[in-house]
């Protein structure tokens, strides 16, 4: 169960295989895809492509591909069966090569060993070219050896691939005959109709689907591990990012509704609270204004009631018969009274306005007032003759 989940996590339900071969004297990519449905495999599509640029159009980015290299860059040879070390078998088959510059694959059968070699530089460059397209090579096969994975499912002793006729039996491969002109045939493999041109791509996919163990006679096995690990890390990061992002969006969505619900409730309570607070502040402000005005009026009334009559009496007693008073203003206002503004007045000031029929009488009267013990000073703010008979005056008396 865990293995199936891991495989689905890595590959999803679609598997891809690609063979690089020479068809009609042209480098060709034979792309094949299988789709897994309810424990069954169906052909998803198959395409012949003339360049690697076209492969990224056919399949999504970030997927894994089983690669078969079966073009003129691969050398193949059959030798007698040997139990010698792999390096010795390769050296005997190709005595003039530097084995460290080649990837090799040895398919040991009952009576023979089938050998394929390919330069590391070419293989590594090809893998990197796929990687630049954001496609990941997870398995590499050379020549026609991968056909050995499906020999049990093919109901024929002669099988045509893209460039060879392969003779097989129940025990394995017997012969591989390279051919430039290959017959077009279709094979029924467990109900799937597969053309011979896509047979190796199909076999490479089954190598991954069936989790076949790698050939123990290849120096590419360590590279396989590196490629698969890189793909697993990329796939994990990609899937984890998608799942994490989806989870985050769901949490954000739920949080939005919860927040929106409580935000509306809080907004209603806040509005009610603001209305209550505003009303409260208005009441407090009104009360403060009333208290201030009440205190001010009381202070004025107390002051006026206790002093204004005294000052009025003293001034009227000293007032000559030739002078008449037209205005008597105790603690006059300095500004007009405005709503929500404090009342401003001049404390300890007595403002007198009047008219005199005798010009010199005003100065005598002022001298008499200055002699009173409650008068600090007297300032004449206005003095003018309205005509030859009357003189207008205005006095500002400062009280101690």
């Amino acid at each position: 169960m865990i293995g199936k989940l891991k495989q689905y996590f890595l590959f999803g339900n679609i598997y891809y295989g690609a063979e690089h071969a020479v068809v009609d004297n042209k480098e060709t990519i034979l792309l094949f895809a299988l789709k897994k449905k309810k424990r069954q495999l169906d052909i998803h599509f198959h395409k012949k492509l003339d360049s690697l640029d076209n492969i990224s159009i056919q399949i999504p980015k970030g997927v894994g591909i089983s690669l078969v290299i079966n073009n003129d860059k691969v050398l193949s040879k059959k030798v007698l069966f040997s139990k010698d070390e792999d390096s010795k078998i390769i050296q005997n088959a190709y005595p003039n090569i530097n084995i460290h510059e080649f990837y090799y694959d040895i398919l040991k059968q009952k009576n023979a060993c089938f050998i394929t070699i390919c330069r590391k530089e070419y293989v590594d460059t090809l893998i990197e070219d796929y990687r630049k397209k954001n496609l990941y090579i997870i398995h590499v096969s050379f020549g026609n050896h991968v056909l050995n994975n499906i020999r049990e499912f093919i109901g024929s002793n002669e099988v045509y691939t893209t460039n060879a006729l392969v003779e097989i039996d129940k025990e394995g491969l017997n012969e591989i005959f390279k051919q430039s002109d290959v017959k077009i045939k279709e094979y029924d493999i467990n109900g799937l109709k597969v053309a011979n041109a896509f047979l190796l791509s199909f076999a490479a996919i089954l190598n991954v689907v069936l989790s076949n163990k790698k050939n123990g006679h290849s120096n590419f096995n360590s590279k396989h591990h590196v490629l698969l690990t890189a793909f697993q890390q990329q796939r994990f990061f990609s899937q984890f990012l998608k799942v994490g992002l989806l989870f985050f969006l769901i949490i954000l969505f739920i949080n939005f509704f919860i927040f929106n619900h409580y935000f509306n409730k809080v907004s209603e309570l806040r509005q009610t609270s603001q209305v209550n607070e505003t009303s409260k502040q208005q009441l407090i402000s009104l009360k403060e204004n009333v208290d201030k005005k009440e205190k001010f009026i009381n202070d004025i009334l107390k002051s006026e009631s206790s002093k204004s009559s005294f000052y009025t009496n003293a001034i009227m007693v000293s007032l000559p018969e030739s002078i008449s008073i037209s205005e008597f203003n105790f603690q006059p206002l300095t500004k007009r009274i405005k709503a929500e503004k404090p009342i401003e007045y001049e404390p300890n000031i007595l403002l007198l306005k009047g008219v005199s029929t005798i010009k010199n009488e005003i100065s005598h009267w002022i001298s008499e007032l200055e002699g009173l013990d409650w008068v600090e000073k007297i300032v004449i703010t206005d003095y003018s003759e309205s005509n030859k008979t009357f003189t207008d005056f205005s006095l500002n008396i400062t009280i101690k």
Side-chain angles (χ1 to χ4, degrees), residues 52 91 131-132 139 155 160 194 221 244 278 322 331 335-336 348 359 388 391:
L52 191 58
Q91 205 64 54
R131 181 65 187 87
K132 289 176 181 178
H139 187 275
Y160 288 94
V194 183
N221 288 343
T278 302
S322 61
Q331 298 187 146
K335 294 182 179 179
R336 293 177 62 184
N348 300 322
K359 181 178 181 181
K388 293 181 179 180
T391 302

Side-chain angles (χ1 to χ4, degrees), residues 272-290:
T272 304
S273 175
Q274 287 177 347
V275 171
N276 293 336
E277 184 67 23
T278 302
S279 300
K280 179 181 176 182
Q281 293 298 327
Q282 289 176 344
L283 289 173
I284 292 173
S285 178
L286 287 173
K287 187 177 184 304
E288 290 177 350
N289 288 335
V290 170

Side-chain angles (χ1 to χ4, degrees), residues 91-191:
Q91 205 64 54
N92 290 335
Y94 299 98
N96 297 323
I97 69 167
N98 183 355
I99 194 171
H100 300 292
E101 296 179 357
F102 290 83
Y103 289 120
Y104 64 81
D105 183 83
I106 302 174
L107 180 61
K108 291 188 175 184
Q109 300 296 281
K110 184 177 180 181
N111 298 315
C113 292
F114 294 94
I115 302 170
T116 56
I117 62 172
C118 187
R119 285 194 177 274
K120 290 183 178 180
E121 182 181 2
Y122 171 76
V123 177
D124 294 339
T125 301
L126 185 59
I127 292 172
E128 183 60 26
D129 288 341
Y130 272 90
R131 181 65 187 87
K132 289 176 181 178
K133 304 292 183 183
N134 201 12
L135 300 171
Y136 291 81
I137 300 301
I138 56 174
H139 187 275
V140 178
S141 301
F142 302 100
N144 292 274
H145 290 188
V146 72
L147 192 66
N148 191 51
N149 295 333
I150 61 171
R151 72 177 190 278
E152 297 175 1
F153 305 110
I154 301 175
S156 175
N157 293 329
E158 291 185 348
V159 180
Y160 288 94
T161 63
T162 50
N163 63 355
L165 168 62
V166 182
E167 293 182 352
I168 60 175
D169 58 26
K170 293 182 179 180
E171 295 182 355
L173 275 61
N174 291 328
E175 291 289 347
I176 299 176
F177 300 105
K178 288 292 186 74
Q179 295 185 347
S180 58
D181 186 15
V182 179
K183 294 181 179 179
I184 298 175
K185 290 201 67 175
E186 190 175 72
Y187 297 94
D188 187 330
I189 304 176
N190 278 9

Side-chain angles (χ1 to χ4, degrees), residues 169-321:
D169 58 26
K170 293 182 179 180
E171 295 182 355
L173 275 61
N174 291 328
E175 291 289 347
I176 299 176
F177 300 105
K178 288 292 186 74
Q179 295 185 347
S180 58
D181 186 15
V182 179
K183 294 181 179 179
I184 298 175
K185 290 201 67 175
E186 190 175 72
Y187 297 94
D188 187 330
I189 304 176
N190 278 9
L192 298 178
K193 303 295 183 179
V194 183
N196 64 306
F198 298 96
L199 202 57
L200 295 182
S201 300
F202 173 80
I205 294 175
L206 285 188
N207 194 62
V208 174
V209 175
L210 301 177
S211 301
N212 287 340
K213 292 184 179 180
K214 301 179 182 67
N215 182 14
H217 304 282
S218 174
N219 64 346
F220 197 81
N221 288 343
S222 59
K223 185 74 172 182
H224 275 140
H225 178 73
V226 173
L227 294 175
L228 188 58
T229 300
F231 173 66
Q232 288 174 340
Q233 291 175 349
Q234 176 273 338
R235 192 71 173 174
F236 175 80
F237 177 78
S238 176
Q239 296 297 329
F240 179 80
L241 187 63
K242 290 177 182 177
V243 173
L245 184 60
L246 180 61
F247 178 76
F248 176 76
L249 289 176
I250 292 172
I251 294 298
L252 193 64
F253 194 67
I254 295 172
N255 184 66
F256 170 76
F257 278 103
I258 295 175
F259 173 80
N260 190 57
H261 172 74
Y262 284 104
F263 179 79
N264 291 335
K265 293 290 185 183
V266 171
S267 296
E268 292 175 4
L269 293 174
R270 186 179 289 116
Q271 289 176 358
T272 304
S273 175
Q274 287 177 347
V275 171
N276 293 336
E277 184 67 23
T278 302
S279 300
K280 179 181 176 182
Q281 293 298 327
Q282 289 176 344
L283 289 173
I284 292 173
S285 178
L286 287 173
K287 187 177 184 304
E288 290 177 350
N289 288 335
V290 170
D291 291 342
K292 286 180 181 179
K293 291 179 180 179
E294 184 179 2
K295 183 177 182 301
F296 176 74
I297 292 171
N298 290 335
D299 291 343
I300 292 177
L301 289 176
K302 288 178 182 178
S303 175
E304 288 184 349
S305 62
S306 60
K307 294 183 179 181
S308 60
S309 58
F310 170 77
Y311 300 141
T312 302
N313 183 62
I315 289 173
M316 299 308 291
V317 169
S318 63
L319 187 68
E321 293 181 358

